[in-house]
Amino acid sequence: MNSFETLKKVIEENSQAGEFFRAVHEWTVTAVEEDPLQEGECVCGQQHLRYMYTIQNLYTGRPLEYIGSKCVEHFQSSELNLQVNVFRGLFDLRKKILAGEKVFLDEDFSREILRWLYENGAFPANQYNGNNGVNDYQFLLDMFNKRHKDKITQGQESKIWALLQYTVKPFVRDHPALG
């Protein structure tokens, strides 16, 4: 049996929908891990994975470990591909943080990563954001989207730095899905 047929069988067996191209819509990415020695193995049998994704069925709650990025492409799901890209970006961001490297809003983030951070609780309510975490998320998103970065004021630069340093970095560094 080839790897696609094996993947298809595993997904169908672990989904409510019995047909692969309906079943793929039941899955979401929940974690990513890196194996620098590339000894990871996909549920399809493909070996030598470096980046291994855990996916979870939205209806049954069943997780599948591990799915390689090539197999995710078989799902033909733009949403799942986006999730893989977000997790990979978060994973790379975490590596920079752990290495003590400086992170930059315009280089190390995307709109999707900022949204994931917000949706996963990275911006808690506090006295600095009017007791509403959405204000920090919206501020970083506005600064990220700003066309003319040279128009960012010193006060805005300071707020960006503080949010990245004291809110985002600890959240990303310690998040269990980014191991």
Side-chain angles (χ1 to χ4, degrees):
M1 189 180 306
N2 72 31
S3 61
F4 175 69
E5 290 301 318
T6 303
L7 172 69
K8 205 171 138 182
K9 185 175 186 280
V10 170
I11 294 299
E12 289 173 353
E13 288 173 352
N14 289 282
S15 301
Q16 283 187 347
E19 191 274 320
F20 179 76
F21 288 106
R22 285 193 8 245
V24 296
H25 300 291
E26 297 180 16
W27 296 89
T28 188
V29 177
T30 57
V32 61
E33 292 179 40
E34 179 184 26
D35 182 347
L37 301 176
Q38 297 184 6
E39 295 175 346
E41 184 174 335
C42 181
V43 297
C44 78
Q46 178 187 355
Q47 298 180 346
H48 309 294
L49 298 181
R50 180 174 186 144
Y51 296 101
M52 305 171 301
Y53 297 89
T54 300
I55 60 174
Q56 185 169 7
N57 189 287
L58 297 169
Y59 302 115
T60 66
R62 280 189 215 125
L64 283 178
E65 295 178 336
Y66 293 102
I67 303 288
S69 54
K70 293 286 185 217
C71 276
V72 170
E73 292 173 11
H74 288 304
F75 282 60
Q76 298 179 2
S77 165
S78 57
E79 180 60 30
L80 211 57
N81 287 337
L82 178 62
Q83 290 173 12
V84 165
N85 289 335
V86 167
F87 270 88
R88 178 63 193 277
L90 286 162
F91 187 82
D92 291 343
L93 176 61
R94 184 173 183 268
K95 280 174 57 174
K96 279 185 86 170
I97 292 167
L98 291 175
E101 297 176 27
K102 191 169 182 180
V103 297
F104 299 93
L105 182 62
D106 57 341
E107 294 176 18
D108 299 307
F109 294 84
S110 65
R111 287 173 194 84
E112 293 80 15
I113 288 174
L114 289 171
R115 186 178 78 226
W116 185 92
L117 289 168
Y118 171 68
E119 290 173 352
N120 286 275
F123 303 108
N126 59 47
Q127 66 187 19
Y128 303 108
N129 61 22
N131 291 313
N132 189 346
V134 74
N135 293 332
D136 287 340
Y137 163 68
Q138 192 61 55
F139 171 77
L140 287 177
L141 186 62
D142 289 347
M143 295 299 104
F144 180 85
N145 288 332
K146 204 175 229 345
R147 248 184 149 177
H148 301 287
K149 304 292 188 202
D150 58 333
K151 302 278 190 213
I152 295 176
T153 68
Q154 185 60 44
Q156 290 169 327
E157 284 284 350
S158 295
K159 185 172 180 176
I160 292 168
W161 181 86
L163 284 170
L164 294 181
Q165 194 67 25
Y166 299 114
T167 303
V168 173
K169 286 171 92 175
F171 184 85
V172 170
R173 181 192 64 225
D174 299 334
H175 200 283
L178 305 173

